Amino acid sequence: MPGMQYFANQNRPGDRTNSDVDLAYSAVTSYLSLCNTIRGRWGTTKLDELEAFEFQTWLKGLKRSGKSKGLLNALMNRLFNRARLFRMVYFLESPIGLVEVRGIGKRRRNQWI
């Protein structure tokens, strides 16, 4: 069973050798930052050993904005869907789909006009 390291290294943004789509520099750096954050904690974890509650607890403990946490959650969900596509895991649905992230679209400060 492959670990998260395998998927975090596949089709990395900015690797234009296998891609027909050119990404903006800001998009590439943003995705790489998310991949490095995921790889730092979950890089050695096997896909079938990852628990949704453990991931949610880790996500809540991160010192990042709600939007960044939502992007991390979405990226992990895409990684699991990619693993299902290649039949590397046999989940009916991604366990990451059970994770709830609060504060994704809410402002932290009042807006001054």
Side-chain angles (χ1 to χ4, degrees):
M1 182 63 53
M4 293 304 298
Q5 184 75 22
Y6 175 79
F7 286 101
N9 289 330
Q10 295 296 313
N11 298 327
R12 293 179 66 184
D15 181 14
R16 297 175 189 228
T17 57
N18 297 329
S19 176
D20 296 332
V21 179
D22 289 334
L23 295 174
Y25 177 78
S26 59
V28 171
T29 57
S30 176
Y31 279 121
L32 286 176
S33 173
L34 293 174
C35 286
N36 288 335
T37 302
I38 290 172
R39 190 179 301 120
R41 168 59 180 92
W42 303 102
T44 58
T45 305
K46 292 186 178 183
L47 295 173
D48 57 351
E49 294 175 356
L50 190 127
E51 297 289 332
F53 181 74
E54 188 179 353
F55 179 74
Q56 184 172 351
T57 305
W58 171 75
L59 206 55
K60 283 183 180 179
L62 284 178
K63 301 288 185 200
R64 289 193 167 211
S65 68
K67 182 178 179 181
S68 294
K69 291 177 184 181
L71 291 173
L72 285 166
N73 190 32
L75 182 59
M76 284 291 282
N77 203 9
R78 281 190 297 248
L79 290 173
F80 267 93
N81 287 338
R82 181 67 91 184
R84 283 180 31 211
L85 176 69
F86 293 120
R87 298 180 187 207
M88 297 178 137
V89 292
Y90 294 99
F91 299 121
L92 293 176
E93 68 178 57
S94 169
I96 302 303
L98 301 172
V99 174
E100 294 180 4
V101 182
R102 295 186 178 195
I104 293 174
K106 298 178 184 175
R107 294 187 180 169
R108 292 186 173 185
R109 294 180 285 178
N110 290 334
Q111 186 177 13
W112 290 86
I113 297 177

